Amino acid sequence: MPYPPPSRTPSGPRRRTLLASAAGAALLSGCTAGSEDSGGAAGPSAADRVRARAARDSGRLVERYDAVLAAHPGLAERLAPLRAEVVRHRQAFGGGARPSAQGSPPASPSASAAPPVSPSPAVPGDERAALTELAVAERALADRRAKALMDVPGELARLLASVAAAGAAHAYLLTEAAK
């Protein structure tokens, strides 16, 4: 004997429940994003320190891209989009913009807004080796950022996760280009 069909399908309450759940989730994620400002007069908060370090790390990575581009101009077309992304990452973390926003290297390797703390990174004479070194640098930075996720709240954690994923993708693309 077959079961009789239900007299009415309860689609209304399910939809309302789903919408209420989505609204609640949005409110909760909005509340956690605002908790980043835990610093007081004693100094910068942990989130501020992580943000400043991430901006510096991205700046150093841009310098590494610039050194490779200066040594191997033939890689400009391949590296320009990746370098431009690293510049945007630095800006997202609060780092300053570079005068060469078009993705091309600066006129000279030492031309930067602040004097470099260390000399330009040594670049291998072989293009494949240079790409491999860039891939290693991208991977190491992505790994450090992924580890830093545990120490920061809300939006900064999301930003770190996104930039770490982009860095891992850059490492993959650079590794494939070096083959």
Side-chain angles (χ1 to χ4, degrees):
M1 183 172 261
Y3 292 106
S7 61
R8 184 180 92 118
T9 53
S11 63
R14 283 191 218 155
R15 224 176 283 144
R16 276 184 240 135
T17 303
L18 178 63
L19 289 174
S21 297
L27 286 174
L28 285 176
S29 67
C31 291
T32 61
S35 64
E36 288 183 36
D37 195 20
S38 61
S45 69
D48 290 338
R49 288 189 303 272
V50 168
R51 185 181 295 275
R53 179 177 178 169
R56 278 192 314 271
D57 288 345
S58 291
R60 287 186 193 115
L61 192 55
V62 168
E63 289 173 3
R64 182 165 251 165
Y65 271 94
D66 289 344
V68 170
L69 287 168
H72 303 287
L75 295 174
E77 185 177 333
R78 187 176 299 170
L79 296 181
L82 300 178
R83 182 195 178 278
E85 285 297 314
V86 175
V87 168
R88 282 192 280 277
H89 296 163
R90 181 178 57 189
Q91 292 169 347
F93 288 119
R98 266 212 129 121
S100 59
Q102 296 296 332
S104 61
S108 69
S110 63
S112 64
V117 176
S118 61
S120 277
V123 177
D126 179 41
E127 285 184 359
R128 291 173 63 178
L131 290 172
T132 300
E133 282 192 5
L134 269 177
V136 168
E138 284 272 15
R139 171 58 67 192
L141 185 53
D143 290 346
R144 275 199 316 272
R145 286 176 172 162
K147 288 178 186 170
L149 288 173
M150 300 303 198
D151 301 329
V152 295
E155 280 302 311
L156 182 55
R158 290 180 197 98
L159 178 60
L160 274 172
S162 175
V163 173
H170 290 182
Y172 171 77
L173 292 171
L174 289 165
T175 301
E176 288 298 309
K179 289 184 179 179

